[in-house]
Amino acid sequence: MAASVGTKLPAKALQAIAFQCGLAQTGTRPVLIERIQTAAREFQSLTPDARILSIDMGLRNFAFSLLSPPKSPLAKNTPLAHLHAWERIDLLHLSTSDPQASPATAPSDDDFTPSAMAARAVTLIRSRFLPLAPTHVLIERQRFRSGGAFGVLEWTLRVNTLEAMLYAAFTTLRALGVWEGRLIAVPPSRATRFMVGEGEVGVGGVLLGLEGEGKGVMAKIKQADSKKLKIDLLGRCLEGGGMIQLEGAKVKKTVDDFLEGRAKTATGRSRVKLTETPVKRKKGETVVKSEAGAILTKLDDLSDSLLQGVAWLEWQKNLERLRETTPWVLADPE
């Protein structure tokens, strides 16, 4: 009887449930029902000592954050998460022999061979990730094409290689009993739509009471505007100090730097004065890079890693609530 309730729901209602739980919204009604039920049955409540490592992939712009869930996630006026670490790293200048050293020479093709990428992934995990003792590792899912381009960009292949190396290394550590956590792929567009919104104000905006600031904010905006929206949303979450609880002086320093950079790139009275720096790319080609553009890139990487982690925690909370309030998601299929 309970299972039949789900089968009578319209497709839009099922898609809304899938959206709130971080699931794909594509497919027929039976496919959506099966996807929701599978997620509900396989759901595992987060323990109080859970530590979520959220990774935003990149080589020059690699970022990660370490989060833990609130003690009472379903209670009112509780923070979205506790933030324990938040960093951005240029992996092309990460020494595999000494993680604290920075090579003086510029990267060459030899730095992107499989052996070099494997060494870089192992160094990253051993020196940065394992000391954080993560129980869940969220890795931004990479695409093979960027911006709908027909060809596959060389940098895209390089980042995809690093992504595969991280999965292989973590999986090997788990098989050897060195690490016992979970690996989870997170499509970046799904986390962005959930937090920032598409067609309406996203969950992050609702939590901040921004519903009246305009609907459809993500419907017809450029990628640069999307970045600014994410940075602004996260900045508002961090400014009050209550929505994301900061743990430790190093994290507080990163947050202070983030908020300072956000103010510099904001439009209006806080607009930064742009300084032009020639950046050589190819022979005879000079690209002008602005200070604001460089700051925006750094803030975007940081915001992606943190918003991804917060979105995933919200999905877990919604799945737990769904199991408690919606019997058909746990009913046996008819």
Side-chain angles (χ1 to χ4, degrees):
M1 180 68 181
S4 64
V5 175
T7 60
K8 293 177 182 178
L9 288 175
K12 283 191 175 181
L14 294 170
Q15 289 170 348
I17 294 173
F19 174 78
Q20 292 295 329
C21 297
L23 307 174
Q25 297 172 258
T26 57
T28 61
R29 290 174 67 256
V31 170
L32 287 167
I33 291 169
E34 182 181 359
R35 185 178 297 142
I36 292 169
Q37 289 184 321
T38 299
R41 292 193 188 102
E42 295 178 352
F43 171 78
Q44 297 177 356
S45 297
L46 295 176
T47 60
D49 59 348
R51 293 168 70 84
I52 292 83
L53 177 66
S54 178
I55 296 173
D56 180 65
M57 291 297 301
L59 287 171
R60 295 185 186 277
N61 309 308
F62 187 96
F64 67 89
S65 60
L66 183 73
L67 302 163
S68 63
K71 303 209 180 289
S72 303
L74 299 181
K76 291 184 178 181
N77 301 321
T78 188
L80 296 174
H82 295 262
L83 180 60
H84 302 270
W86 196 21
E87 295 184 37
R88 177 180 177 270
I89 308 171
D90 181 353
L91 294 184
L92 299 183
H93 292 85
L94 178 70
S95 171
T96 55
S97 58
D98 180 5
Q100 304 303 321
S102 297
T105 58
S108 66
D109 289 341
D110 291 338
D111 292 303
F112 304 106
T113 61
S115 60
M117 295 292 274
R120 186 173 285 113
V122 169
T123 298
L124 188 61
I125 291 174
R126 290 185 62 187
S127 65
R128 301 296 181 102
F129 294 161
L130 288 184
L132 297 176
T135 58
H136 300 73
V137 177
L138 316 179
I139 301 179
E140 177 197 23
R141 184 71 177 95
Q142 297 303 290
R143 298 172 294 177
F144 287 97
R145 288 180 172 84
S146 179
F150 179 76
V152 180
L153 301 178
E154 185 176 13
W155 275 100
T156 302
L157 290 176
R158 290 170 175 174
V159 176
N160 288 349
T161 300
L162 177 63
E163 177 189 23
M165 296 291 184
L166 290 176
Y167 274 100
F170 272 116
T171 302
T172 300
L173 291 174
R174 188 168 54 192
L176 294 173
V178 176
W179 178 69
E180 298 179 350
R182 289 178 56 198
L183 279 169
I184 301 151
V186 179
S189 59
R190 199 174 298 172
T192 298
R193 285 198 303 269
F194 181 80
M195 293 301 296
V196 181
E198 183 175 70
E200 60 182 11
V201 175
V203 171
V206 171
L207 291 170
L208 289 168
L210 306 180
E211 297 95 325
E213 295 201 4
K215 294 205 170 189
V217 291
M218 287 291 290
K220 297 180 180 179
I221 60 175
K222 297 179 181 179
Q223 186 177 8
D225 296 323
S226 170
K227 291 180 180 181
K228 291 177 183 177
L229 280 171
K230 288 185 289 185
I231 291 167
D232 185 55
L233 173 65
L234 184 56
R236 297 192 192 204
C237 288
L238 293 169
E239 276 176 336
M243 296 195 71
I244 298 178
Q245 192 73 37
L246 309 182
E247 305 291 345
K250 188 175 181 180
V251 167
K252 291 177 181 177
K253 175 65 168 60
T254 303
V255 169
D256 288 342
D257 291 343
F258 180 91
L259 294 176
E260 181 181 351
R262 170 177 171 255
K264 287 182 177 181
T265 58
T267 58
R269 64 175 183 272
S270 298
R271 183 183 294 276
V272 68
K273 181 178 178 182
L274 302 184
T275 59
E276 295 185 348
T277 306
V279 179
K280 293 238 174 177
R281 276 194 169 175
K282 298 178 181 176
K283 268 190 179 178
E285 179 186 4
T286 300
V287 179
V288 174
K289 185 177 182 182
S290 70
E291 179 188 350
I295 295 173
L296 183 65
T297 299
K298 178 178 180 179
L299 300 186
D300 179 56
D301 302 321
L302 284 168
S303 63
D304 281 346
S305 70
L306 185 47
L307 286 176
Q308 174 180 269
V310 171
W312 188 81
L313 284 171
E314 288 295 301
W315 293 338
Q316 304 312 296
K317 184 194 302 183
N318 291 340
L319 272 170
E320 185 172 3
R321 185 182 290 114
L322 185 70
R323 284 167 53 95
E324 294 175 355
T325 61
T326 314
W328 67 263
V329 300
L330 296 176
D332 295 329
E334 294 183 343

